[in-house]
Amino acid sequence: MNTQTFSALAEPNRFNIVELLLSEPLPVGDIAEKLKLNQSQTSKHLRVLSEAGLVEVQPIANRRIYKLKPEPFQELDAWLDSYRRIWGARMDRLDDYLNVIQGKKTLN
Amino acid sequence: MNTQTFSALAEPNRFNIVELLLSEPLPVGDIAEKLKLNQSQTSKHLRVLSEAGLVEVQPIANRRIYKLKPEPFQELDAWLDSYRRIWGARMDRLDDYLNVIQGKKTLN
DNA sequence: TTATAATATTCCTTGACAGGAATATTCCTA
DNA sequence: TAGGAATATTCCTGTCAAGGAATATTATAA
């Protein structure tokens, strides 16, 4: 799992951009307007998202349309598999660890 | 979706701690040793993870055993639902946006 | 080809965070 | 209850990222 994905999504404005792009691909100006960010910031955040592989750009006429790339989300999904497998099991059990402790018979 | 989760996982050492705790709950010392972090750093990272709700602690004797909490991962999973739904669909389609553009008949 | 719209980049400042070292705290154990 | 093990916290420093303002770039349209 690439932690760059987490870094990119950790910033609230960038997270909002991603959520916005979930509905439809959009040009920079529209993103800025809808999220009430200025143009400069929006471009910078899109750059980060782009370098993290979360979005890609497609120039149309005078504008640059940004859209989500599925790969990082799929990777995230795959990563979560390991965690799904143990929900309700080891994750909230202490026994595993306790059984392993040596040199200490009783705990209280 | 809480961006704190992303912030917490964005730091590589913390990510490694989470992955380590996936196998079993562990006390601070063991985590530090296995990941070759010093005790101070380890405590600090665990604090961040704890405040983000990713781990919880259970004191045993004079140790503090850290284990994962399932909630944030479940939340992440639920969040991904929206994205799963459109993989292969809108996510990599530009049509939706193009059809919406007014005042511009042809693009090239 | 010049003006203009859309977007990207640079420069600057500020705040947050990670790491190291040292110290404080907590809780057992003898 | 004193000593020591395990862990947490504080202080300090350096780095890096975000925001604002201004400027540069790119591509279209007249």
Side-chain angles (χ1 to χ4, degrees), chain A residues 42-84:
Chain A
T42 307
S43 274
K44 282 189 269 191
H45 283 313
L46 285 167
R47 184 183 225 274
V48 175
L49 289 172
S50 182
E51 282 170 352
L54 285 170
V55 304
E56 64 186 341
V57 70
Q58 172 155 355
I60 291 196
N62 195 4
R63 293 175 256 200
R64 299 172 59 92
I65 317 291
Y66 283 86
K67 64 181 178 188
L68 296 181
K69 293 189 67 174
E71 290 84 358
F73 299 94
Q74 289 166 341
E75 189 195 15
L76 204 49
D77 192 42
W79 177 70
L80 275 181
D81 263 348
S82 325
Y83 293 81
R84 282 185 210 108

Side-chain angles (χ1 to χ4, degrees), chain A residues 11 13-14 38-41 44-45 48 61-62:
Chain A
E11 209 284 324
N13 290 316
R14 281 197 298 266
N38 65 39
Q39 180 268 317
S40 167
Q41 261 194 67
K44 282 189 269 191
H45 283 313
V48 175
N62 195 4

Side-chain angles (χ1 to χ4, degrees), chain A residues 18 92 104:
Chain A
V18 168
D92 51 1
K104 181 149 185 62

